[in-house]
Amino acid sequence: MFDSLTEKLGKIFSRLGNKGRITEKDVDEAMREVRLALLEADVNFKVVKEFTAKVRERAVGSSVLESLTAAQQIVKIVNEELVNILGGGQAKLVPAGHPPSVIMLVGLQGSGKTTTAAKLALSLRKSGQTSLLVAADTRRPAAIQQLITLGKQLDIPVYSEDPSQPVKDICARGLVKARQTAASWLIVDTAGRLHIDEELMGELAQIENEIHPNEILLVVDSMTGQDAVRVAEEFKAKVKLSGLILTKLDGDARGGAALSIRWVSQLPIKYIGVGEKADQFEPFYPERLASRILGMGDMLTFIEKAEKAFDQKKAEDLQKKIEKATFDLEDFLSNLKDVRKMGSIAQLASMIPGLSKVASKISEDDQEKQLKKVEAIVLSMTPLERHNPNLIDGSRRRRIAAGSGTQIQDINQLLNQFRQMQKLMKMGMKGRMPQNMMRMFG
Ligand SMILES: Nc1nc2c(ncn2[C@@H]2O[C@H](COP(=O)(O)OP(=O)(O)OP(=O)(O)O)[C@@H](O)[C@H]2O)c(=O)[nH]1
Ligand SMILES: [Mg+2]
């Protein structure tokens, strides 16, 4: 569902990551692109506005841009704000003090209530809790039978009566039955309704008054796009909604509803439906969806690794050296070790969207070989030489080559590249070291 959005965001952030130094202007530019990408994904404009403003504020307001890992930190901020928009943490069902706890499912026609009732009972059973389903859709002729059939397939009991009975009475008797059978949950499948149908909307309020549900969950079809947000408002006006279940997240809609509805309705998303089958149903974890949207299961790992490898103090020292252009080969060596801690270069590159394609072209072996070679050369230098690469004349070069098992050309090449890097630093380029170093390795 989020493929296109993921692809666009990936491009925006890898472009940002490729810049040596990120300025406020770069952040603004990236946020403009993010705004467009979100609007194209049909995300509510208020959500988009709030989101981009928040990310911008956090990115330029603190010392993020001064840091060596600015791009990673910005991606991290984007991820965190996305999680916020999606509700922060996991929202669990709130059970009653004494069972049975009552869940009432409401929503538009065809949104997935009946399927979800069965899915929910199955999911609760997996954690050792029993449910009784109540067929409270007396409107659609085949509705009761649909729930009974699902119950039979999954071996979950269903309470039903003749559809001529008032719905609120059926529900009340269902609750009695749940008590008698010591069910942990009573799950009420109501009739699908158009929000403009006053009579049916009134019926929901009657059921609410009769059985006092612990949870009234609005089942929302994520394919309905922005309309879903309005629907939530209409139902909220009639009954005390406690949360949302988003269905059909496996579809190919643009994903805007899923991204907007929590923020606009202020109702937590408790579960998501990801397929027609009864087990294609999951508790909703904002962090997981955010990571999925950012295409960064891997990106997050990368950020964590970067954070671990570069402790802040060290990064700041390095930053000062770079600014004063006193960065020498000794620093380079210790930096190299940090990069090594993060894994092989190929491995690292493959985790960064956009870089993965490049990484696959250079074999991991070749990169590792190159890295080892550079490390060996620097290790064969004396500390004095590392601090003053200019001292390294012809005879020293011969000694270093012999000591590291390399050729004189290799030493020349490394020193040349290092000099270029220093020149760039003198020009005031506060870059992200790992990236600059990657360039050194071609
Ligand atoms: N792909 C997919 N299909 C789903 C999902 N949830 C429900 N469906 C399908 O959506 C259709 C409608 O589902 P129902 O559960 O009958 O919807 P309902 O809200 O009970 O419908 P009414 O009772 O008529 O209002 C069915 O074909 C389901 O298989 C989902 O998460 N993914
Ligand atoms: Mg139904």
Side-chain angles (χ1 to χ4, degrees):
M1 169 167 277
F2 300 100
D3 290 354
S4 152
L5 179 60
T6 299
E7 196 187 318
K8 280 183 198 139
L9 293 177
K11 277 189 191 141
I12 297 169
F13 294 120
S14 71
R15 220 176 299 138
L16 201 62
N18 282 332
K19 288 187 196 293
R21 181 187 170 179
I22 298 172
T23 63
E24 204 169 315
K25 206 168 138 254
D26 295 327
V27 175
D28 284 337
E29 164 107 29
M31 281 310 116
R32 248 195 311 280
E33 290 169 346
V34 169
R35 186 185 311 146
L36 268 180
L38 290 173
L39 288 172
E40 274 168 35
D42 196 29
V43 178
N44 181 286
F45 74 97
K46 281 189 218 149
V47 176
V48 175
K49 209 170 143 201
E50 166 102 5
F51 172 78
T52 47
K54 200 74 196 277
V55 172
R56 187 193 183 278
E57 181 194 318
R58 287 184 59 192
V60 304
S62 57
S63 53
V64 171
L65 296 185
E66 299 299 312
S67 110
L68 296 171
T69 52
Q72 284 103 316
Q73 290 192 40
I74 291 173
V75 174
K76 195 158 177 259
I77 292 172
V78 167
N79 182 58
E80 283 166 7
E81 289 305 326
L82 207 50
V83 171
N84 271 343
I85 293 276
L86 290 168
Q90 190 200 355
K92 293 188 177 164
L93 293 178
V94 182
H98 300 284
S101 311
V102 178
I103 301 174
M104 177 173 163
L105 299 177
V106 303
L108 293 186
Q109 281 161 9
S111 59
K113 295 172 298 299
T114 306
T115 316
T116 298
K119 285 175 165 181
L120 193 53
L122 185 67
S123 152
L124 288 164
R125 187 169 71 196
K126 283 182 188 151
S127 56
Q129 303 172 71
T130 53
S131 303
L132 176 66
L133 299 172
V134 178
D137 179 356
T138 54
R139 305 281 161 159
R140 197 162 54 82
I144 297 175
Q145 195 50 48
Q146 185 192 356
L147 192 69
I148 291 174
T149 307
L150 278 170
K152 273 213 185 93
Q153 281 167 8
L154 302 169
D155 196 22
I156 292 162
V158 175
Y159 182 82
S160 65
E161 289 185 20
D162 189 275
S164 61
Q165 295 296 310
V167 178
K168 69 175 179 48
D169 297 344
I170 298 177
C171 291
R173 289 189 284 266
L175 183 56
V176 171
K177 173 90 181 190
R179 274 196 202 109
Q180 285 165 358
T181 56
S184 333
W185 297 88
L186 181 79
I187 302 175
V188 181
D189 174 35
T190 64
R193 56 205 77 214
L194 293 171
H195 47 86
I196 43 176
D197 186 334
E198 279 299 323
E199 190 203 333
L200 267 170
M201 290 301 275
E203 185 185 274
L204 285 183
Q206 284 177 13
I207 302 176
E208 180 182 17
N209 285 334
E210 187 70 35
I211 56 172
H212 306 292
N214 303 88
E215 294 271 3
I216 303 182
L217 301 175
L218 178 67
V219 178
V220 181
D221 179 342
S222 12
M223 311 282 277
T224 47
Q226 279 307 297
D227 242 16
V229 172
R230 195 175 41 80
V231 168
E233 291 307 311
E234 311 259 5
F235 275 85
K236 215 174 158 183
K238 289 286 175 205
V239 287
K240 224 170 122 234
L241 292 181
S242 59
L244 305 163
I245 295 181
L246 287 185
T247 62
K248 308 182 197 179
L249 267 177
D250 51 309
D252 56 5
R254 287 170 293 168
L259 273 172
S260 319
I261 197 159
R262 154 73 224 216
W263 192 85
V264 178
S265 71
Q266 289 299 309
L267 291 166
I269 303 167
K270 300 211 168 179
Y271 288 89
I272 52 174
V274 292
E276 293 196 48
K277 295 208 194 78
D279 60 353
Q280 291 175 319
F281 185 73
E282 307 163 0
F284 178 67
Y285 298 102
E287 312 82 29
R288 286 191 201 164
L289 185 59
S291 312
R292 212 181 102 201
I293 291 170
L294 287 177
M296 57 185 248
D298 293 339
M299 196 67 190
L300 272 184
T301 323
F302 170 69
I303 292 168
E304 277 162 17
K305 284 191 177 181
E307 281 178 345
K308 272 193 204 127
F310 289 86
D311 67 78
Q312 198 54 38
K313 173 83 180 67
K314 213 163 165 190
E316 277 162 17
D317 288 352
L318 197 60
Q319 184 71 47
K320 280 195 198 107
K321 284 190 173 174
I322 292 169
E323 274 162 37
K324 291 191 212 136
T326 54
F327 180 84
D328 60 25
L329 279 166
E330 186 72 49
D331 301 312
F332 176 71
L333 186 66
S334 95
N335 233 264
L336 199 61
K337 286 191 186 130
D338 286 336
V339 174
R340 305 279 277 154
K341 264 190 238 162
M342 290 163 67
S344 77
I345 296 231
Q347 227 180 340
L348 285 177
S350 71
M351 289 178 191
I352 307 171
L355 261 186
S356 47
K357 284 193 196 96
V358 186
S360 61
K361 287 208 185 95
I362 317 163
S363 88
E364 184 149 336
D365 270 5
D366 283 352
Q367 293 180 44
E368 283 298 309
K369 255 185 230 151
Q370 185 65 14
L371 198 63
K372 285 215 179 87
K373 201 159 146 188
V374 170
E375 203 171 11
I377 293 173
V378 182
L379 279 170
S380 296
M381 297 173 182
T382 64
L384 185 71
E385 286 165 346
R386 287 183 212 144
H387 288 308
N388 308 288
N390 286 335
L391 286 180
I392 307 176
D393 57 11
S395 73
R396 285 176 192 262
R397 283 176 203 216
R398 267 195 298 282
R399 194 206 78 237
I400 295 166
S404 57
T406 56
Q407 306 294 315
I408 300 242
Q409 298 91 286
D410 294 323
I411 317 290
N412 292 341
Q413 201 188 355
L414 177 72
L415 289 173
N416 279 338
Q417 282 171 334
F418 184 73
R419 217 164 285 138
Q420 271 171 13
M421 197 162 108
Q422 271 190 321
K423 225 185 266 166
L424 283 178
M425 289 175 197
K426 285 205 179 99
M427 282 160 53
M429 191 180 105
K430 285 189 225 166
R432 296 196 301 142
M433 287 318 299
Q435 277 231 345
N436 293 339
M437 280 171 23
M438 273 188 213
R439 274 182 215 127
M440 278 188 82
F441 308 126

